[in-house]
Amino acid sequence: MSENGGGKEALPLFETKAAKGRDAYKLFAFTVFVGVCMILVYRLTHMPQPEEPGRWAWIGFFMAELWFSFYWIFTQSVRWNVVYRYPFKARLSSRYEDKMPGVDIFVCTADPKLEPPTMVINTVLSVMSCNFPPEKLSIYLSDDGGSELTFYALVEASQFAKYWIPFCKKFKVEPRSPAAYFAQNSGSRDVAFAQEWLVVKKLHEEMKMRIETAIGKGSISKDMKDLHEGFSEWNSKVTKQDHQPIVKILIDGRNPGAVDIDGHILPTLVYLAREKRPQWPHNFKAGSMNALIRVSSMISHAPIILNLDCDMYSNDPDAVREALCFFMDEKRGHEISYVQHPQRYENITKNDIYSNACNVLNKVELAGADGYGTAFYCGTGCFHRRDSLCGRKCSKDLKAEWNIVTDQTKKRNVNELEEASKALATCSYEKGTQWGKEMGLVYGCPVEDIVTGLTIQCRGWKPVFYNPDKAAFLGVAPNTLDIALVQHKRWSEGFFQIFLSKYCPFIYGHGKIKLGGQMGYCVYLLWASVSIPTLYYAMMPSICLLRGIAIVPEASCPWFLPFAYVFIGRNAGSLAEALTCGDTLKAWWNSQRMWLIRRTTSYFFAFFDTITRQLGFSETTFAITAKVVDDVVLKRYEQEIIEFGTSSIMFTITSTIALLNLFSFAWGIKIALLDWNLRAVEHLIPQIILCWLIVMINIPVYQALFFRSDKGHIPSSVMFKSIAVASLACLLAVC
């Protein structure tokens, strides 16, 4: 049926509303901009003469503030245009209940050690049990680790699904990840529910125990292998980086016998491990996604695709229906390419110690970019129109046919489909084709999802950013500082490479994407570049304080007003945004600390590595962040104690900056109070205050350096190096 099936007078399936207070915010931002301009004028008109001390430091501050000003304009561009989306799933159900399109769901995993199979199958089970016709639902697990342990876990999940899915739908339980559900709920509603709850919980625990036992042994027993003929694919020659394509249909949704314990049809479930050979590039997650697109087109060929990371389970069983409201809207649905949900996490602490929740980013920045029609594809939690992923251009005459079942799918049995699909997952299949260029996810960039989204938008498609009150999907946020910084280093490095490539939004998107949308992209693509001025501002005020060089006018000087207004206005606005978006005051303070740490470590190394790569001195790598930590580390995370614990050079930089500002602050206080010479430092009071603020924000760093004895403290080797470097900087400054 075409998208016009609802009739000419049909009500829209979604609406878009502009955020309140946008005009007031524009006025506030304009006043801050005037203050920023006055600061730059002050720097130019009061620059020390060549023979005066501090001239080069002054020039450095001017350059840093100039770059901050440009970057600030980019961040404001998205804040001026915030919109929110509201789907009407009741209208969708009443109009299309019997004519829903098929949906293929892709779950990607890459390493059974870093991404435990028990976690992976909980994500799979959560989407298998969503509120959607099972005959229209197909779930694909892409195992880039090619592990028989992951395959075994999926076999177990296919059996457990026969009990879990009817239990979920009968009692409307949520969330529908078994692990998350049983951790949050007890079977205390009524006798009938309690009995089934106990049965299903026991089955889940037994399944989990069998899987973890197999993982502990590192192999699958013969009895377990007898459960499915698919285990014959694994032999002594199969390794993670060298194996044949493996496609196994564990549940065939076309088969009338593929039913749960209540006799209802089960969704199709497919395992895929694309071929890998040492001499062939595998293109990381983008290559995995492209193989999934091709294999799914052979087996189910649904017009809508949802892709999820393996740790991001479905938290809202109606998420699929809500997403379809955008695609199936009679007036605007035909031009929508994808519906992106924000990344939200189940393990965020009350005060968000590592600033993982990103509430302001989700509710303000990404929603603002959506106002320009440039919702970013984030790589997970995204519903795609298959046509847009496969290179098709958007046109006004495009009409979708939602219920297409190809003849090749109807006529072939499971074995024939598996064999035909394997040919689509070989290393050589893409050679000489447009896959990775004009079709599928784009190759060549570490953050291939951002480039793919940009490419799709440049073909005329309109993406949507949808941030519902109830999180559609929940993942696992980093629970150690090291993991959090490595993750941001990977992201910011990939972003900066995009900015320096042909895919720079100002070039690639020129004439195709609105200027505000181009600037919105660059808010993130330029994360790495902001590291240099931030490092300068985190260190040079302290060094100038030690040398007695004023970098800010005295409080009695009229030129002090723009400095004070911009500082207070920027922080007051940031605090107001955070509180409005649901953060606590302490969470905002923690975000300021993480803002400083990320920019001076993750983003700095991302900037350095990107430049060396551009010069040909290094190659792009892909790092998978661990999804699990031990119980002791988890307990400290829940207590909101920052986890250092390693000798990372990032922690050396963080500690050095903290100590340098502590030493300089102590020096300023000594002169002002102990020497009773307040007049001597009156012109330096703003710098003393700045050092004090950096000291206050780094209190957890000092605790980890000198007072903590747990394994999460900063190692002594880092402490000694930081003390030495900070002391040397102070000595050079005062000499």
Side-chain angles (χ1 to χ4, degrees):
M1 177 176 177
S2 82
E3 289 181 351
N4 289 329
K8 295 182 180 179
E9 302 300 324
L11 293 172
L13 295 180
F14 75 93
E15 65 177 355
T16 303
K17 293 183 178 180
K20 297 178 180 178
R22 295 202 308 188
D23 292 337
Y25 185 84
K26 289 179 181 179
L27 178 60
F28 164 73
F30 177 75
T31 63
V32 174
F33 176 71
V34 172
V36 168
C37 292
M38 292 179 68
I39 290 173
L40 296 176
V41 170
Y42 171 78
R43 288 289 181 212
L44 288 173
T45 58
H46 291 72
M47 187 174 295
Q49 296 300 314
E51 66 278 3
E52 294 180 325
R55 178 179 172 83
W56 286 108
W58 195 275
I59 293 173
F61 281 111
F62 172 75
M63 297 301 294
E65 288 158 357
L66 183 64
W67 182 242
F68 281 144
S69 302
F70 280 118
Y71 188 75
W72 178 82
I73 292 172
F74 291 167
T75 65
Q76 298 311 298
S77 68
V78 294
R79 284 170 164 79
W80 297 339
N81 211 32
V82 175
V83 298
Y84 299 116
R85 311 282 190 168
Y86 300 94
F88 302 113
K89 62 185 178 184
R91 295 178 186 174
L92 175 78
S93 298
S94 64
R95 199 176 304 167
Y96 292 109
E97 186 58 44
D98 298 324
K99 303 167 185 175
M100 292 287 188
V103 177
D104 289 343
I105 301 179
F106 299 166
V107 179
C108 298
T109 185
D111 191 319
K113 293 181 180 179
L114 296 177
E115 299 167 338
T118 50
M119 177 187 69
V120 175
I121 63 170
N122 274 288
T123 297
V124 170
L125 288 163
S126 72
V127 292
M128 289 182 72
S129 54
C130 69
N131 293 336
F132 199 72
E135 67 275 10
K136 298 291 184 71
L137 202 60
S138 300
I139 293 87
Y140 295 79
L141 176 63
S142 171
D143 177 18
D144 250 17
S147 169
E148 66 175 347
L149 295 172
T150 303
F151 178 72
Y152 168 63
L154 195 64
V155 172
E156 288 278 8
S158 69
Q159 299 301 313
F160 178 68
K162 297 176 182 179
Y163 299 86
W164 176 247
I165 294 175
F167 173 72
C168 289
K169 295 188 176 180
K170 181 178 180 180
F171 296 105
K172 296 180 171 57
V173 303
E174 294 182 28
R176 295 193 175 175
S177 158
Y181 173 74
F182 288 121
Q184 300 171 19
N185 297 274
S186 61
S188 58
R189 278 163 46 178
D190 55 56
V191 175
F193 172 75
Q195 290 176 341
E196 290 202 37
W197 187 90
L198 288 171
V199 170
V200 177
K201 186 174 190 296
K202 182 181 179 182
L203 289 171
H204 177 254
E205 290 176 346
E206 291 172 348
M207 176 187 68
K208 181 181 177 183
M209 183 178 297
R210 289 193 298 270
I211 295 171
E212 291 181 344
T213 299
I215 293 172
K217 293 179 179 178
S219 62
I220 309 297
S221 68
K222 185 180 183 304
D223 291 341
M224 293 178 179
K225 288 184 178 181
D226 290 340
L227 292 172
H228 198 281
E229 54 83 23
F231 287 104
S232 62
E233 296 279 358
W234 281 270
N235 54 50
S236 59
K237 296 181 179 179
V238 171
T239 67
K240 179 180 179 180
Q241 298 297 337
D242 192 358
H243 61 79
Q244 77 282 9
I246 304 172
V247 179
K248 292 298 172 184
I249 302 175
L250 300 182
I251 300 176
D252 181 7
R254 305 170 306 163
N255 182 0
V259 296
D260 61 29
I261 58 170
D262 289 345
H264 299 130
I265 291 291
L266 288 168
T268 295
L269 181 62
V270 182
Y271 172 90
L272 166 65
R274 61 189 171 117
E275 183 183 23
K276 282 190 176 181
R277 302 299 180 190
Q279 66 272 25
W280 287 89
H282 58 82
N283 296 303
F284 309 109
K285 184 179 176 181
S288 173
M289 280 286 294
N290 288 345
L292 280 167
I293 294 170
R294 295 192 298 272
V295 169
S296 64
S297 69
M298 176 66 67
I299 297 173
S300 52
H301 198 67
I304 302 298
I305 293 171
L306 164 64
N307 81 280
L308 293 171
D309 285 346
C310 63
D311 65 329
M312 190 153 282
Y313 67 82
S314 175
N315 184 61
D316 184 354
D318 289 324
V320 174
R321 290 177 178 270
E322 290 189 345
L324 289 180
C325 291
F326 298 100
F327 292 109
M328 301 183 74
D329 182 78
E330 284 78 2
K331 291 185 178 180
R332 293 172 288 175
H334 70 280
E335 64 182 9
I336 291 176
S337 54
Y338 58 82
V339 178
Q340 176 67 62
H341 285 260
Q343 295 191 45
R344 293 164 73 174
Y345 306 102
E346 66 172 347
N347 61 330
I348 300 296
T349 58
K350 178 183 177 181
N351 297 305
D352 195 11
I353 188 67
Y354 298 126
S355 192
N356 288 318
C358 301
N359 288 329
V360 172
L361 183 147
N362 291 332
K363 296 182 179 181
V364 178
E365 294 182 3
L366 295 181
D370 190 26
Y372 294 107
T374 52
F376 309 141
Y377 171 36
C378 299
T380 184
C382 189
F383 291 86
H384 300 266
R385 185 188 296 269
R386 183 183 289 269
D387 284 347
S388 69
L389 270 181
C390 292
R392 188 171 182 176
K393 293 183 178 180
C394 182
S395 67
K396 294 180 180 180
D397 299 327
L398 179 65
K399 300 297 179 184
E401 294 295 333
W402 292 124
N403 294 282
I404 300 175
V405 180
T406 60
D407 290 337
Q408 62 183 4
T409 300
K410 288 180 180 179
K411 296 177 181 179
R412 295 182 177 182
N413 60 34
V414 167
N415 291 333
E416 291 172 337
L417 282 176
E418 288 176 349
E419 290 304 313
S421 298
K422 287 179 182 179
L424 305 177
T426 60
C427 293
S428 60
Y429 181 84
E430 295 180 349
K431 186 177 181 180
T433 71
Q434 290 299 308
W435 284 99
K437 301 172 185 175
E438 296 297 325
M439 297 178 67
L441 272 70
V442 178
Y443 296 155
C445 294
V447 192
E448 63 278 334
D449 35 32
I450 294 291
V451 173
T452 300
L454 178 62
T455 301
I456 290 172
Q457 291 168 55
C458 288
R459 297 190 194 117
W461 294 98
K462 305 293 185 185
V464 166
F465 177 74
Y466 176 46
N467 184 16
D469 293 334
K470 180 180 182 180
F473 309 101
L474 287 175
V476 179
N479 41 29
T480 73
L481 183 59
D482 187 44
I483 294 175
L485 294 181
V486 168
Q487 185 181 71
H488 269 267
K489 192 263 183 183
R490 185 181 76 223
W491 288 344
S492 56
E493 182 176 356
F495 292 159
F496 196 40
Q497 288 182 22
I498 294 171
F499 182 80
L500 298 178
S501 74
K502 68 177 183 179
Y503 294 108
C504 175
F506 291 127
I507 300 172
Y508 192 75
H510 179 69
K512 304 171 185 175
I513 296 175
K514 294 179 181 179
L515 178 61
Q518 297 172 25
M519 296 170 71
Y521 265 107
C522 290
V523 170
Y524 307 100
L525 302 190
L526 291 173
W527 269 357
S529 69
V530 183
S531 63
I532 303 301
T534 303
L535 265 171
Y536 192 88
Y537 239 95
M539 300 175 68
M540 284 305 295
S542 297
I543 293 174
C544 289
L545 174 60
L546 293 170
R547 295 184 66 87
I549 298 172
I551 60 170
V552 178
E554 298 179 16
S556 58
C557 176
W559 283 106
F560 178 75
L561 292 177
F563 283 89
Y565 182 74
V566 169
F567 178 81
I568 294 172
R570 180 264 174 195
N571 285 284
S574 171
L575 176 58
E577 276 186 342
L579 296 178
T580 303
C581 292
D583 288 338
T584 64
L585 177 61
K586 190 172 182 180
W588 174 79
W589 184 248
N590 290 337
S591 72
Q592 302 306 297
R593 180 187 306 112
M594 287 304 302
W595 172 86
L596 176 63
I597 293 175
R598 286 171 185 162
R599 286 189 172 189
T600 55
T601 57
S602 300
Y603 300 170
F604 172 70
F605 285 107
F607 180 85
F608 180 81
D609 287 353
T610 300
I611 296 301
T612 58
R613 179 181 180 275
Q614 293 294 116
L615 297 174
F617 297 128
S618 66
E619 294 292 332
T620 299
T621 59
F622 183 81
I624 303 171
T625 51
K627 303 298 190 297
V628 291
V629 295
D630 63 51
D631 291 340
V632 177
V633 172
L634 184 59
K635 184 178 180 180
R636 284 196 290 269
Y637 173 71
E638 291 170 348
Q639 294 172 342
E640 298 193 326
I641 299 172
I642 295 180
E643 186 75 20
F644 293 92
T646 67
S647 299
S648 169
I649 191 173
M650 293 189 184
F651 297 158
T652 303
I653 293 176
T654 298
S655 302
T656 300
I657 291 173
L659 290 172
L660 176 61
N661 280 274
L662 179 64
F663 296 161
S664 298
F665 175 69
W667 176 269
I669 294 298
K670 170 188 174 294
I671 297 175
L673 300 181
L674 299 184
D675 294 348
W676 294 98
N677 193 9
L678 186 60
R679 291 286 303 172
V681 294
E682 184 177 7
H683 64 297
L684 299 175
I685 288 178
Q687 285 159 258
I688 296 176
I689 294 174
L690 180 58
C691 288
W692 173 75
L693 287 172
I694 296 179
V695 167
M696 293 301 294
I697 213 169
N698 278 298
I699 285 178
V701 178
Y702 305 130
Q703 292 172 337
L705 279 168
F706 304 117
F707 303 109
R708 285 171 55 184
S709 58
D710 57 71
K711 291 186 178 179
H713 75 287
I714 294 177
S716 56
S717 60
V718 174
M719 178 186 68
F720 291 134
K721 284 187 285 188
S722 300
I723 291 175
V725 174
S727 300
L728 179 62
C730 291
L731 288 173
L732 291 175
V734 298
C735 291

